[in-house]
Amino acid sequence: MSEIASVPGGLNGRDEQLPQLTRAAIGRAARATRPSGRRPARVGAVAAPLLALLLAGCAPAGRAEPSAPPASASAPPASAGPSSSAPPDASGGRLQWRGGPTAILERDGLRLLTDPVLGPRGPAAFVLPRHPSTGVENAPVARYTDPPAEPLGRLDLILLSHNHADHFDAVAKETLPKDVPFVLPPDAVEAARAAGFTRLTPLDWDAETVIPTRSGRLRIVAVPANHSHDAALDATLGRGNGYVLRWEGAAPYSVYWTGDAVFTEPMRAVAARFAPIDLWLPHLGAVGVDGARGLRTMDAEEAVAAAALLRARHVIPIHHTTFGHYREPVTAFVQRAGAKRLPAHIHVPTDGAWLSLPR
């Protein structure tokens, strides 16, 4: 598995420093791919899609989304773990990141999908009612990379954090089997039902559901996912969920998937209740950091602070690189974690590559 325990540097990931971050990241990518006489360090396989990442993450405020994806987005990413055809890890499970907020989690006989965004790359993957950076209404957002070619396969459950178009897109609503079970926020039930889905389990904050597994059970707890530090904007954007997943049985394991959340007092309460977390799946990208109303997802500084409070043993950051409204590259989080000596092991995923769930 790709692992980054420490990376030097003290950038705080704020928007005014993104040009410096861009140069530094390009330099690191060059060094990471330069042949040497010794075995190269594994750096999370971020080098191959780096240019697309930087274009997606570092677009300055006020600029419209690109009319077409960067040419480099079509380059195949470097491998970050077992190939997509690798057999399931029966002992501990595995994860496949499929871009943006979308991932497959397999463990103890269950196969879960998070926030299905399944449309192809292009200049208008979806439309946001108001762009979080520019404020432009009905703004198309570019997708820089295609979803993995590997089919989704059997799905036992879909976890939905909220009903925004960048988390539950038109392609997902049209193509997913209508009888696949959903766990979702109450605010998303109407949209899911209108799209034809029939097996819906709404969970409000602090509610839970339990699903049998091959050797035990999975307890799913819905937790707050505040989309903004601005209370009025947070209410306007709607009540979304994060989820704490707890596999109970002979080999217990915990995962906290944040959904679109900034670091707030409710997230501190999640830490107080559930820490330590075996695996943390934060939504990064610093969406809105350069807009008039601030963050809509965590930036590097918030994510490192949250990971420390959660006492996360491992972190797989998602919700970066893929789309044009992401404003901070994942390298900012890696650098900040190194500067703060975050004890968690960071595993930076590559689209489509399978990672064994870390212990």
Side-chain angles (χ1 to χ4, degrees), residues 1-351:
M1 172 174 294
S2 303
E3 181 173 306
I4 304 170
S6 176
V7 176
L11 295 179
N12 67 9
R14 297 297 183 188
D15 54 323
E16 66 269 20
Q17 292 182 315
L18 288 175
Q20 289 83 356
L21 176 60
T22 302
R23 289 194 291 270
I26 291 172
R28 282 193 306 279
R31 290 194 295 274
T33 55
R34 186 180 298 144
S36 66
R38 58 185 177 87
R39 185 178 180 179
R42 303 186 71 184
V43 295
V46 296
L50 184 58
L51 182 56
L53 179 153
L54 295 171
L55 288 170
C58 303
R63 179 182 295 179
E65 294 301 333
S67 59
S72 63
S74 61
S79 175
S83 70
S84 60
S85 59
D89 183 345
S91 62
R94 62 178 188 165
L95 178 145
Q96 183 192 49
W97 181 49
R98 299 181 68 92
T102 309
I104 294 174
L105 270 167
E106 289 182 356
R107 194 173 194 274
D108 201 18
L110 287 181
R111 185 177 173 94
L112 288 67
L113 178 69
T114 68
D115 279 1
V117 185
L118 308 181
R121 68 189 289 256
F126 48 80
V127 174
L128 295 181
R130 186 180 296 274
H131 197 285
S133 295
T134 65
V136 171
E137 294 185 356
N138 298 318
V141 176
R143 179 168 187 151
Y144 297 137
T145 57
D146 278 313
E150 180 183 357
L152 288 172
R154 185 197 89 249
L155 296 174
D156 297 305
L157 183 70
I158 293 175
L159 289 173
L160 191 66
S161 65
H162 60 303
N163 183 44
H164 292 175
D166 55 337
H167 291 261
F168 191 21
D169 70 357
V171 174
K173 291 177 179 178
E174 180 179 348
T175 62
L176 286 171
K178 301 310 179 189
D179 61 348
V180 63
F182 269 76
V183 169
L184 71 176
D187 284 0
V189 167
E190 182 179 349
R193 187 173 289 129
F197 297 99
T198 58
R199 300 176 65 186
L200 308 178
T201 301
L203 290 185
D204 209 342
W205 293 349
D206 297 323
E208 62 181 55
T209 188
V210 176
I211 300 173
T213 66
R214 185 167 49 209
S215 62
R217 59 185 187 175
L218 171 62
R219 186 179 301 276
I220 302 173
V221 184
V223 297
N226 295 105
H227 214 326
S228 173
H229 292 289
D230 181 307
L233 178 59
D234 189 46
T236 299
L237 293 171
R239 192 175 172 101
N241 285 352
Y243 296 95
V244 176
L245 312 176
R246 305 179 75 182
W247 277 266
E248 300 173 346
Y253 194 77
S254 60
V255 176
Y256 173 25
W257 171 48
T258 66
D260 269 7
V262 292
F263 186 34
T264 58
E265 287 303 316
M267 191 177 288
R268 291 178 182 273
V270 172
R273 181 179 176 186
F274 294 106
I277 293 290
D278 291 314
L279 174 61
W280 190 43
L281 299 176
H283 283 196
L284 300 186
V287 174
V289 69
D290 51 355
R293 304 188 77 173
L295 287 171
R296 310 283 181 91
T297 59
M298 284 179 285
D299 63 2
E301 185 173 354
E302 287 198 350
V304 169
L309 197 65
L310 289 160
R311 289 182 283 144
R313 297 184 176 98
H314 299 272
V315 181
I316 298 180
I318 61 175
H319 201 269
H320 55 79
T321 307
T322 313
F323 294 110
H325 63 318
Y326 299 164
R327 284 304 196 252
E328 185 180 78
V330 69
T331 48
F333 171 67
V334 175
Q335 285 195 344
R336 188 66 174 170
K340 290 292 187 178
R341 300 185 182 275
L342 184 71
H345 300 284
I346 300 172
H347 313 266
V348 177
T350 298
D351 284 18

